[in-house]
Amino acid sequence: MKTFPLLSAFLLLLGLFRPSISLRPIRDRPTVVTSATWSDENALFKRDDAELNPYYWNITGIYKGTWRFMGPTNGSSKFVDSSGFQGVSVLELLSKPSKLQGVHYVTGSITFQDLFDNEREHARLRIEGVYVWPFRQLRMVANSGGDGPFPEEEYSRSNPYHLMGMFSNQVYPDPLKGYNGDKNALTKELEKYCNVEIAAKVSRISASQIEGEHDKYRFEGLTEAPALDSDGECFTPILLNASSINVDVYYNKAVNYTLMVTFISFLQVLLHIRQMEHSNSQFGASKVSLVMIGQQAIMDAYLCLLHLAAGVVVESLFNAFATAAFFKFVVFSIFEMRYFLAIWKATRPASSSENWELMRRELSVLYSRFYGILVGGILVTYELRVFLRALIFLVYSFWVPQIVTNIIKDTRKPLHPQYILGMSATRLAIPLYVFGCPSNFLRIEADKWWCICLTIFVAVQASILLLQHYLGSRCFIPRQILPEKYCYHRKVETDPQATDCVICMASIDLSRRYDYMVTPCEHLFHSGCLQRWMDIKMECPTCRRSLPPA
């Protein structure tokens, strides 16, 4: 605004000729704003020359605090439909020196959260004004610049705390703090009918309370909005209290998070290699659920895209988030998709070896379904983002398909115990950080009960898989409802004479019933030999006939 150089000169002249009344609150409210808050201009003359540097107190930054009405809403106010009397306030300020000594030009925005319950809308105003640094006084008014960009908007675009806050509100929305409806409706009404003025006192937080090496500041001020037509007030005066946020701490949290994701991805690579070694045969791979591996691959694909988008949003943290996205891409595209195809080929041995055209068509259908679910899941998640936590529960049921497959096929030891425990723990790390860490960098409020429920949900699935591994796939199902099962330890009908096991070429002692096993084709083997053979191939070692589950 062109009038601000003149306003700055006028304020400075007032401060030089009448220091006792130069910068006062908008209205005299001694019961709320103490005189010590506003009347220490004389402290200017007690400061040394080093502190009179105009760059000494640079108030550029993000400030977060609280707001509250000074009293009950006035009946003549134009905006009296606010449901709360206090809430959270966020200020984004960019300060730069003007041509006048001791006066800085300040632009930015102020956001009043928790103002409405039913309309999930924040009141956000563009503000600009002057900061007279010798007196630590800030005077600002609402900017009526319309829908154009903020002055000096580059700061907001590059500030990671602001951008990741916007990003987290889109990805992890809070039902009471969303950005739905017409975002500018309230702002336009205030600019049309009100003249919003802000007066604040700036103070430095003591060194003992500072996190990190950079200075932190605090605002204490008053916001008023008399109506333009002098017909009452727009709203009851609001008290503001806000402290600056150390962006370096935010940077460190974000980088530490990406290091955690990178380390988790590396562990998942090792676990996948261990599982692939465990089921390296065709029969071993056929026992693993294709849906289970596909669901985990889709999870890692989403995480890869999410971290890549976060790196694009916050350019200064691109390298850290791009590294985490790359490792997730390696887990998804190399290991999980390779294992996914190995399982698919193991379940279709005939089509993969005899008819290439049939296999190519089936493979095309498989890829179409996989990437269709991947893209469709993104659209569904966006439309149902309000129920994101319920969707996460659905995604984290990735062990359920393997449990069902074990019961239906009565398979033996399809997954290695290390893979079950390791993947359960590493998959829980990211949601527990986002929704369980009270100081996470995404600024999402912690919900310990939701985290406990998710942990129990995954732990129950892993426990069932471990029980199936050690006690049998149908150990927890009543025998009365199970179909009859072939008994490999049945009594031999033929004359008990010495017989050799074709697997180990050693003689079989028929006097001990559970030391040998008999196949439906009447071939005898040592119990341990045939069980190890069936872990690889469900065929009779002698005649190659298919064998029923043990």
Side-chain angles (χ1 to χ4, degrees):
M1 297 175 64
K2 297 182 179 179
T3 59
F4 267 92
L6 297 177
L7 176 62
S8 303
F10 178 71
L11 291 174
L12 183 61
L13 290 175
L14 283 179
L16 293 177
F17 290 100
R18 301 183 63 187
S20 61
I21 61 172
S22 58
L23 292 169
R24 295 300 180 192
I26 299 174
R27 298 182 182 180
D28 289 330
R29 299 183 184 273
T31 59
V32 179
V33 184
T34 61
S35 59
T37 304
W38 302 97
S39 61
D40 56 351
E41 291 92 340
N42 293 329
L44 168 66
F45 305 102
K46 301 179 182 179
R47 304 179 188 275
D48 54 25
D49 294 337
E51 198 169 344
L52 295 181
N53 190 325
Y55 300 98
Y56 189 72
W57 279 24
N58 187 358
I59 62 172
T60 297
I62 303 289
Y63 297 80
K64 187 174 183 180
T66 60
W67 64 267
R68 64 181 179 88
F69 288 121
M70 293 184 59
T73 56
N74 191 347
S76 62
S77 298
K78 292 183 178 295
F79 300 96
V80 295
D81 57 345
S82 58
S83 60
F85 292 94
Q86 61 183 3
V88 178
S89 61
V90 178
L91 290 89
E92 302 174 30
L93 301 180
L94 176 63
S95 173
K96 59 181 182 180
S98 66
K99 294 181 180 180
L100 299 176
Q101 179 73 14
V103 178
H104 286 210
Y105 177 59
V106 181
T107 58
S109 66
I110 181 171
T111 303
F112 297 98
Q113 299 179 2
D114 308 314
L115 197 59
F116 303 99
D117 283 340
N118 297 327
E119 301 179 12
R120 296 176 294 177
E121 184 180 23
H122 295 339
R124 189 170 189 235
L125 296 175
R126 306 177 184 188
I127 52 177
E128 59 180 340
V130 293
Y131 167 54
V132 185
W133 64 266
F135 303 141
R136 313 300 183 233
Q137 302 290 336
L138 181 66
R139 295 292 188 271
M140 308 194 78
V141 296
N143 178 13
S144 57
D147 296 332
F150 280 92
E152 304 293 344
E153 193 180 24
E154 291 78 9
Y155 173 76
S156 295
R157 289 177 178 173
S158 62
N159 188 283
Y161 188 84
H162 167 77
L163 292 174
M164 287 307 296
M166 295 174 58
F167 181 77
S168 62
N169 283 330
Q170 293 296 326
V171 180
Y172 304 106
D174 190 329
L176 296 179
K177 298 181 180 180
Y179 285 97
N180 293 342
D182 187 359
K183 305 175 186 178
N184 299 319
L186 179 61
T187 301
K188 292 178 180 177
E189 291 295 317
L190 288 175
E191 291 177 352
K192 182 178 180 181
Y193 296 106
C194 301
N195 181 20
V196 180
E197 303 173 359
I198 300 175
K201 175 72 175 178
V202 183
S203 60
R204 179 185 293 171
I205 299 178
S206 61
S208 61
Q209 303 177 24
I210 294 177
E211 299 178 2
E213 300 178 355
H214 294 272
D215 295 334
K216 292 186 68 176
Y217 304 103
R218 180 175 178 83
F219 285 140
E220 294 181 1
L222 184 67
T223 301
E224 289 187 327
L228 294 178
D229 55 3
S230 300
D231 183 17
E233 295 181 334
C234 285
F235 52 80
T236 302
I238 298 176
L239 288 178
L240 293 177
N241 291 282
S243 300
S244 61
I245 297 173
N246 195 336
V247 179
D248 287 345
V249 175
Y250 172 87
Y251 270 97
N252 293 334
K253 290 180 180 179
V255 171
N256 291 337
Y257 166 79
T258 57
L259 290 176
M260 178 193 73
V261 174
T262 303
F263 177 71
I264 288 173
S265 302
F266 179 73
L267 289 180
Q268 290 177 349
V269 168
L270 298 180
L271 292 170
H272 277 292
I273 293 175
R274 184 70 184 89
Q275 172 60 26
M276 293 169 72
E277 292 177 350
H278 176 71
S279 58
N280 56 359
S281 64
Q282 181 177 354
F283 177 71
S286 65
K287 295 188 294 184
V288 181
S289 172
L290 190 68
V291 178
M292 183 265 295
I293 295 297
Q295 190 170 343
Q296 294 193 50
I298 290 176
M299 290 173 59
D300 286 320
Y302 286 160
L303 290 174
C304 174
L305 294 175
L306 199 60
H307 288 92
L308 188 61
V312 173
V313 169
V314 187
E315 185 178 354
S316 54
L317 292 172
F318 177 78
N319 292 336
F321 280 101
T323 302
F326 171 75
F327 273 87
K328 279 297 176 185
F329 178 78
V330 169
V331 175
F332 152 68
S333 63
I334 297 179
F335 290 93
E336 289 176 333
M337 290 304 297
R338 179 183 175 186
Y339 197 36
F340 184 78
L341 291 177
I343 297 171
W344 178 82
K345 291 176 64 176
T347 56
R348 289 165 176 81
S351 60
S352 60
S353 60
E354 296 178 1
N355 193 335
W356 167 251
E357 284 295 329
L358 178 61
M359 187 189 75
R360 190 177 67 172
R361 286 197 299 267
E362 291 184 356
L363 192 60
S364 299
V365 173
L366 179 69
Y367 272 105
S368 300
R369 291 177 179 174
F370 178 82
Y371 287 104
I373 294 174
L374 182 64
V375 176
I378 296 176
L379 300 177
V380 171
T381 303
Y382 179 78
E383 292 296 331
L384 302 178
R385 59 189 181 276
V386 178
F387 308 100
L388 182 64
R389 300 189 180 187
L391 292 177
I392 292 177
F393 261 88
L394 180 63
V395 172
Y396 270 74
S397 61
F398 54 87
W399 290 132
V400 174
Q402 185 63 56
I403 295 173
V404 175
T405 301
N406 292 347
I407 295 173
I408 295 175
K409 296 184 178 180
D410 196 14
T411 56
R412 299 179 66 254
K413 303 179 180 180
L415 302 179
H416 197 280
Q418 294 179 5
Y419 178 77
I420 298 172
L421 295 175
M423 293 303 293
S424 299
T426 54
R427 295 281 180 206
L428 284 171
I430 294 179
L432 291 185
Y433 170 81
V434 173
F435 296 103
C437 180
S439 57
N440 63 83
F441 76 98
L442 284 172
R443 301 159 56 190
I444 297 175
E445 186 177 355
D447 188 351
K448 64 177 183 179
W449 291 113
W450 183 88
C451 294
I452 292 174
C453 292
L454 181 65
T455 304
I456 294 175
F457 181 61
V458 177
V460 169
Q461 298 177 61
S463 302
I464 295 175
L465 281 176
L466 292 175
L467 288 175
Q468 290 180 328
H469 180 86
Y470 291 107
L471 303 179
S473 301
R474 301 173 177 177
C475 60
F476 51 87
I477 298 179
R479 293 185 178 181
Q480 292 79 3
I481 64 175
L482 290 176
E484 290 192 14
K485 195 174 182 180
Y486 176 78
C487 180
Y488 280 91
H489 296 284
R490 62 183 175 84
K491 190 175 181 180
V492 179
E493 301 294 341
T494 59
D495 186 22
Q497 57 183 353
T499 306
D500 293 336
C501 175
V502 300
I503 298 176
C504 64
M505 305 306 295
S507 60
I508 301 175
D509 185 6
L510 299 179
S511 61
R512 304 179 64 178
R513 181 176 177 181
Y514 287 95
D515 286 349
Y516 66 90
M517 297 175 68
V518 185
T519 63
C521 50
E522 301 296 334
H523 294 120
L524 278 71
F525 307 93
H526 288 116
S527 296
C529 295
L530 187 59
Q531 287 177 356
R532 287 191 297 269
W533 176 273
M534 287 192 296
D535 288 339
I536 301 173
K537 189 178 297 185
M538 291 297 291
E539 294 179 353
C540 176
T542 303
C543 64
R544 303 302 179 183
R545 288 180 58 182
S546 60
L547 298 176

